Amino acid sequence: LRGVNERYVLAPASVQLVGSRVASDPSKQLVLYRVTPPARITTRVAGLFPTTPGVEAWSGAHVQWLRSRCSGGTLAVKVSSDEKLFAKPSTLAVSGTTTAQTLSIAHSTVDRPITLTLAPVNGVCRVDFRISPTQQPSSVEPGNTDTRHLGLHFTQPVYTP
């Protein structure tokens, strides 16, 4: 956030800043932070499509969770699929500053909890999720116009130091 020297910063909910949360607008997925300039990011999630409150976000083929100023801990997330889109289980490959593993995710809407132990490298924790296959709803469901390539549903990742 080079050049952001304001005391208050409005950020997307997928980004966490060093500072205090002052207010949020879940319907717009925005958070207002009070920061000590310059503004600095601590956590970023990339690869999830925006969603409405109360609805789990869809991923594409790759999701990355990144936290600076990380001393280790755990990352917890729940994933699920959709039997309307997928006839077979999905593969979720996990890597980064955690133990690499490959999981099979049933093609159902039942959440599967995943907790990963984080081992920082130079003060940074990173988890990469690779999802296969992805599917376009428009090519599977008659009348559906959604052309995004969707992988799995993800809940908001929760970091615990």
Side-chain angles (χ1 to χ4, degrees), residues 12 52 62 145:
T52 55
H62 179 233
T145 59

Side-chain angles (χ1 to χ4, degrees), residues 27-150:
S27 67
K28 296 206 183 331
Q29 299 180 22
L30 295 171
V31 178
L32 179 65
Y33 287 92
R34 180 178 24 247
V35 301
T36 301
R40 296 170 310 284
I41 295 174
T42 60
T43 304
R44 180 179 62 86
V45 179
L48 295 177
F49 291 105
T51 187
T52 55
V55 176
E56 294 175 358
W58 273 107
S59 76
H62 179 233
V63 174
Q64 184 179 71
W65 178 89
L66 184 71
R67 181 174 181 90
S68 58
R69 305 175 87 186
C70 183
S71 58
T74 61
L75 181 69
V77 66
K78 294 177 185 175
V79 298
S80 62
S81 185
D82 188 329
E83 61 271 1
K84 292 179 185 173
L85 285 182
F86 299 97
K88 297 179 182 177
S90 297
T91 300
L92 178 64
V94 180
S95 62
T97 62
T98 187
T99 303
Q101 56 185 303
T102 301
L103 306 168
S104 179
I105 308 299
H107 59 286
S108 76
T109 55
V110 176
D111 282 339
R112 175 167 177 184
I114 300 169
T115 301
L116 305 166
T117 301
L118 302 168
V121 174
N122 298 322
V124 176
C125 293
R126 188 188 89 247
V127 178
D128 288 294
F129 300 94
R130 300 228 178 252
I131 301 97
S132 177
T134 60
Q135 191 68 267
Q136 285 181 292
S138 61
S139 68
V140 178
E141 298 175 10
N144 193 319
T145 59
D146 187 348
T147 59
R148 298 175 297 168
H149 289 268
L150 304 179

Side-chain angles (χ1 to χ4, degrees), residues 4-9 17-20 33-40:
V4 178
N5 291 310
E6 304 301 323
R7 299 244 337 122
Y8 291 89
V9 178
L17 301 178
V18 176
S20 303
Y33 287 92
R34 180 178 24 247
V35 301
T36 301
R40 296 170 310 284

